[in-house]
Amino acid sequence: EASAVSQSYLRALRVMPVPWPSRPAPMHIPDIAERGMTIKQLFDLRIYLQRLCKTGLLKNTTEFSKSTGTHGKPIDWSSIDMYQIVNEVIMKVIPHVDKNRDRFPPRQWYSWAEFVAPRPQPPLIMMSHSWTGRFCDFMAVIHSMHKDMGLSVNAVIWICTFANCQFGENFGNSLEECPFLQALRRVEKTVLIVDRNADSLTRSWCGLELHYSLLADKDLQLYTSAGLVGSSKVSSGALVDEIMRYDIRRIEAAEAAFRRQILNYIAGLSETAGLQTRGEDLVAENGRPKLNDTAIDETHPNRANGKPEYRHEAEVFKKHSEKFNELNMRVRMEVVAKIGRAQKSKGCKADLAQRGIALAHLWAFARKVKSSSPHKWEALTLADVESDMIKPACALRKCSYTELVTDTPVYPRFVVSSTSHMLFKDIMDSIEWIAEAMQLKDSTALWLYFFSTNRVTPEADGEVWEAFDAAFAECEAYVLIADNEARHTRRLWRIHELDMANRTSKSVYITCPHGALSCGRAFPNGAQVFGEFDAKIARILFEMRFEECHITLEGERAMVIEHFEEGARSEAEKRRRYDKLHARLQRYTAGPIMRQAAQKGDVAMCRRVASAPGLSLNGDSMRGALGESPVHMASAEGNPAGFLGISTADVKTALADAEVSPPVGRCFSSVWR
């Protein structure tokens, strides 16, 4: 029975377009290998989930969400994962639509594939993935496959989340009988999705699927959300590095018994070794096997989850190491075959303005930092990276890091701004967001101060200033990395850079560890926001004033101000310049602030943002990643106060949203009355 927090979501089923057919009964598909999903059915599901997220109707209701503090809170499209889809959609929608739980005994209800499919759907491709990966990344891979492979929208893909009955599925008495291997025997191709955190490389079921695919000589392809590994967009990077370091012995499972069963299978042993049996059959509890031997091997390295290794597994690894090494090598060779062996750079000598560092080199450097720095990755600042990694690496040649790793001088496509006290992890996450939003290739060059300037024998300030101007002249866009520390963002040099970008008519992007914001032309996906741009960070920028910004050397303040005021003939004209810059910053960042304020019913903040000069409350910059406006946010939360900061004319214009989002339109009309 659905909890109270999701009742509005279930009521919306009556008026919102849904991705399942209206028919008397679902399709009974007893052969689990034929419960595939067509690409069109996946696209329909994506649209449905986006509508639920956009309207704020999809919320966390599980016991687990209580432990994470997210219970009752809306689920964002940029973060929803397979666990949430199962718990908040599949296991609520099917019982709501069909009251007959015993339609296909002995199962209760049925799978999502049976819910939406008109007939059995034998698959062409199997997806191997982690449930913790973002569903938007999963669908980005489906979209890439659709284009790369020239697939029809009716092409069928097998996905465990939708093929298995989530109310209880029979996994068989052995792995040969489990749904995953049944499906693998039918498909022509296996696609492993390496998600943002590379969790799929640590999951035992994904390890089993990899092992069987290679054993059966299936066509194996690896994808990230950026595209096919080995393509021009994914020929390097942190995820590719993770694949190259793949080790099947590091896999984990929610149940230690399943992990043992899978490792036994890969080693060529009896699956039941070290597990409880009754005769020749495994003893199962709620469909799960049980460990028989729980002794620990204190001498063996800990598992990937930090727990000590069991003695049984340690002995299997030792006695059958060749089996595991062979699988690891075959996975790595799949990557090498697609991207080729990395060539060692000879370095080069380049002018300051031509020291663009490729994303590929940046990802490789970040991996080296993560594994080699004496500081903890989560607490490592850019200043730490400079002293621990950049300076020692460049000491011998006395050059910039860019000159050390690139073969030829390269003008940058983007000038990227950060500060030395920012966390390096946040900087890399922010760069990853803008790279994904802009669909950048690994060869895309960036100009970053700490990588592009010589940190061993620093260039003179005037030389750096001139080089920065030259890099700006050649680049396509300016990217400002912001975090939630005002002291990092409110720096005078950074607002000077923003001014330079505007004077030279460059595109401006602001990115943070959770998403990216386009300050002009939309991203390739048509939105102004990618991911979830933090409203707190947006507010720091919204309230930023030139005269209040910090600068390390006060002697440089006069130089920056002189540059900014250059050509102004009167104090009034100088004041107008400052006001225009502040107004531009407010227009850039108004959207995330207004949406949050409307959602919370913060009337004062709504009115404050609405008063920003030149701001259109119905402009694209006010909409989120799914096109949601402040009106959507206020409607979703039932907040009349959220409308009080918006003029009547703008609210009436926003009613047009009702044409494409009927539930929001009805909710809006009710709240507005």
Side-chain angles (χ1 to χ4, degrees):
E1 186 174 273
S3 59
V5 74
S6 61
Q7 287 302 313
S8 59
Y9 156 48
L10 294 176
R11 286 195 297 272
L13 297 182
R14 304 189 196 106
V15 293
M16 182 179 287
V18 294
W20 57 85
S22 55
R23 61 181 180 225
M27 172 57 59
H28 183 210
I29 308 177
D31 186 349
I32 197 168
E34 294 188 342
R35 297 182 199 160
M37 293 276 288
T38 67
I39 290 177
K40 183 181 184 305
Q41 288 164 350
L42 290 169
F43 285 168
D44 289 344
L45 176 61
R46 175 179 61 184
I47 292 171
Y48 179 58
L49 292 172
Q50 286 176 333
R51 283 173 171 152
L52 291 176
C53 293
K54 178 178 179 178
T55 55
L57 294 173
L58 194 59
K59 300 184 179 182
N60 288 299
T61 64
T62 62
E63 287 299 314
F64 177 75
S65 67
K66 292 179 180 178
S67 66
T68 60
T70 58
H71 189 78
K73 294 182 179 179
I75 299 173
D76 298 322
W77 166 247
S78 63
S79 63
I80 188 171
D81 58 31
M82 289 293 191
Y83 285 107
Q84 292 168 314
I85 290 172
V86 168
N87 292 318
E88 309 299 352
V89 179
I90 294 176
M91 297 186 73
K92 285 194 170 76
V93 168
I94 291 177
H96 177 77
V97 174
D98 187 357
K99 306 301 181 186
N100 185 359
R101 72 168 61 196
D102 298 315
R103 190 176 292 280
F104 305 135
R107 287 188 287 152
Q108 288 187 358
W109 284 294
Y110 34 83
S111 66
W112 185 263
E114 292 170 293
F115 187 48
V116 301
R119 64 187 67 84
Q121 298 182 157
L124 174 70
I125 300 169
M126 177 178 181
M127 305 301 291
S128 181
H129 63 100
S130 167
W131 277 28
T132 59
R134 303 183 310 168
F135 188 66
C136 62
D137 289 345
F138 182 95
M139 288 308 301
V141 170
I142 298 295
H143 184 72
S144 295
M145 288 167 51
H146 180 43
K147 293 192 303 180
D148 297 346
M149 302 177 192
L151 298 175
S152 161
V153 292
N154 296 314
V156 179
I157 299 171
W158 198 90
I159 303 160
C160 65
T161 313
F162 308 122
N164 292 333
C165 175
Q166 299 303 332
F167 302 92
E169 187 66 72
N170 180 10
F171 273 40
N173 293 321
S174 69
L175 291 178
E176 288 289 344
E177 298 174 12
C178 77
F180 310 98
L181 297 197
Q182 288 188 55
L184 275 169
R185 282 192 284 270
R186 302 286 189 88
V187 301
E188 298 176 7
K189 188 190 303 285
T190 303
V191 173
L192 173 67
I193 298 180
V194 186
D195 53 280
R196 182 173 289 265
N197 295 318
D199 287 340
S200 61
L201 300 178
T202 66
R203 306 313 299 163
S204 57
W205 290 108
C206 293
L208 174 66
E209 291 156 3
L210 270 177
H211 170 70
Y212 191 90
S213 296
L214 293 170
L215 200 65
D217 203 25
K218 300 287 182 182
D219 182 14
L220 174 64
Q221 294 194 348
L222 292 84
Y223 271 81
T224 73
S225 59
L228 175 67
V229 172
S231 68
S232 60
K233 290 183 179 178
V234 193
S235 58
S236 63
L239 293 182
V240 175
D241 290 336
E242 288 292 338
I243 299 168
M244 292 296 288
R245 292 186 289 129
Y246 180 73
D247 189 345
I248 188 68
R249 288 165 289 211
R250 305 294 286 170
I251 59 172
E252 289 295 338
E255 303 288 339
F258 272 138
R259 176 177 180 260
R260 179 170 295 179
Q261 185 181 9
I262 290 169
L263 290 171
N264 286 340
Y265 181 88
I266 293 171
L269 303 175
S270 168
E271 291 179 28
T272 61
L275 299 172
Q276 294 183 27
T277 58
R278 186 178 293 111
E280 295 183 358
D281 296 329
L282 287 170
V283 173
E285 186 176 295
N286 296 322
R288 293 170 169 81
K290 300 176 68 177
L291 294 177
N292 185 41
D293 179 5
T294 58
I296 297 298
D297 186 341
E298 299 288 353
T299 65
H300 195 276
N302 284 351
R303 292 158 54 184
N305 61 8
K307 296 180 180 179
E309 186 59 88
Y310 290 111
R311 183 173 60 193
H312 174 89
E313 280 77 357
E315 291 176 355
V316 169
F317 293 150
K318 183 177 180 180
K319 293 179 181 178
H320 303 277
S321 59
E322 73 284 352
K323 292 277 189 180
F324 300 102
N325 291 336
E326 181 185 359
L327 177 56
N328 294 338
M329 185 56 64
R330 290 192 67 180
V331 171
R332 294 167 190 165
M333 290 306 295
E334 285 288 330
V335 180
V336 171
K338 291 176 172 61
I339 67 175
R341 294 189 176 274
Q343 299 296 317
K344 186 177 177 71
S345 173
K346 298 177 181 178
C348 69
K349 184 67 177 176
D351 292 339
L352 261 168
Q354 293 179 284
R355 295 180 192 169
I357 184 169
L359 279 170
H361 290 130
L362 207 53
W363 302 142
F365 176 78
R367 181 176 64 83
K368 182 185 285 187
V369 170
K370 191 172 184 179
S371 62
S372 306
S373 175
H375 297 82
K376 288 186 177 180
W377 174 251
E378 293 76 13
L380 190 70
T381 67
L382 182 54
D384 295 328
V385 170
E386 180 191 12
S387 60
D388 295 345
M389 306 294 293
I390 296 177
K391 284 184 176 180
C394 302
L396 184 62
R397 288 185 52 183
K398 294 183 172 57
C399 63
S400 67
Y401 187 81
T402 299
E403 292 172 294
L404 191 69
V405 298
T406 57
D407 289 326
T408 57
V410 179
Y411 279 112
R413 183 176 169 190
F414 297 88
V415 169
V416 181
S417 173
S418 61
T419 67
S420 61
H421 297 294
M422 283 183 171
L423 294 176
F424 187 63
K425 177 182 181 297
D426 287 351
I427 292 173
M428 294 309 301
D429 286 345
S430 300
I431 291 174
E432 186 173 357
W433 276 110
I434 194 66
E436 191 174 341
M438 293 295 293
Q439 300 174 10
L440 303 179
K441 296 180 179 180
D442 286 349
S443 58
T444 303
L446 314 178
W447 199 95
L448 296 102
Y449 181 79
F450 283 85
F451 291 88
S452 301
T453 60
N454 190 328
R455 311 312 300 158
V456 181
T457 54
E459 292 90 355
D461 290 339
E463 189 179 352
V464 174
W465 182 294
E466 291 176 6
F468 199 76
D469 286 348
F472 250 99
E474 296 291 340
C475 77
E476 173 186 316
Y478 170 73
V479 179
L480 185 145
I481 297 177
D483 62 12
N484 56 18
E485 292 284 345
R487 61 193 176 89
H488 297 162
T489 301
R490 292 176 181 167
R491 308 290 299 179
L492 194 59
W493 278 111
R494 310 193 82 195
I495 204 166
H496 165 69
E497 293 161 5
L498 271 171
D499 176 57
M500 283 181 64
N502 287 306
R503 289 193 189 199
T504 52
S505 301
K506 304 299 180 183
S507 297
V508 174
Y509 302 99
I510 305 174
T511 184
C512 71
H514 310 292
L517 184 69
S518 173
C519 302
R521 185 185 307 166
F523 290 121
N525 69 353
Q528 301 285 133
V529 179
F530 194 85
E532 287 296 317
F533 195 86
D534 194 323
K536 179 181 177 182
I537 294 174
R539 189 166 174 174
I540 291 171
L541 290 161
F542 186 88
E543 296 172 347
M544 190 158 71
R545 294 294 178 271
F546 196 107
E547 54 272 23
E548 297 171 2
C549 288
H550 311 293
I551 193 165
T552 304
L553 301 174
E554 279 298 323
E556 294 180 350
R557 182 182 295 274
M559 183 171 60
V560 175
I561 292 175
E562 180 183 353
H563 187 273
F564 182 75
E565 296 178 349
E566 185 180 359
R569 298 179 180 180
S570 64
E571 289 299 318
E573 186 176 347
K574 291 178 184 178
R575 187 68 261 164
R576 282 196 297 272
R577 282 194 185 180
Y578 286 104
D579 291 342
K580 283 178 67 176
L581 179 62
H582 299 154
R584 187 178 290 113
L585 265 175
Q586 290 180 340
R587 290 196 299 274
Y588 288 167
T589 56
I593 305 171
M594 181 66 104
R595 290 193 298 275
Q596 185 187 75
Q599 184 181 36
K600 292 183 175 181
D602 187 339
V603 178
M605 182 53 69
C606 280
R607 287 178 171 166
R608 181 176 178 187
V609 175
S611 66
L615 181 66
S616 169
L617 293 178
N618 288 292
D620 290 341
S621 65
M622 299 303 291
R623 297 178 178 273
L626 296 175
E628 66 274 27
S629 67
V631 169
H632 283 108
M633 309 304 289
S635 299
E637 294 298 315
N639 257 329
F643 296 108
L644 297 181
I646 307 173
S647 69
T648 303
D650 284 325
V651 169
K652 286 179 178 177
T653 303
L655 271 169
D657 286 327
E659 294 178 11
V660 291
S661 304
V664 178
R666 290 184 177 86
C667 178
F668 165 77
S669 300
S670 167
V671 172
W672 182 245
R673 282 197 297 272

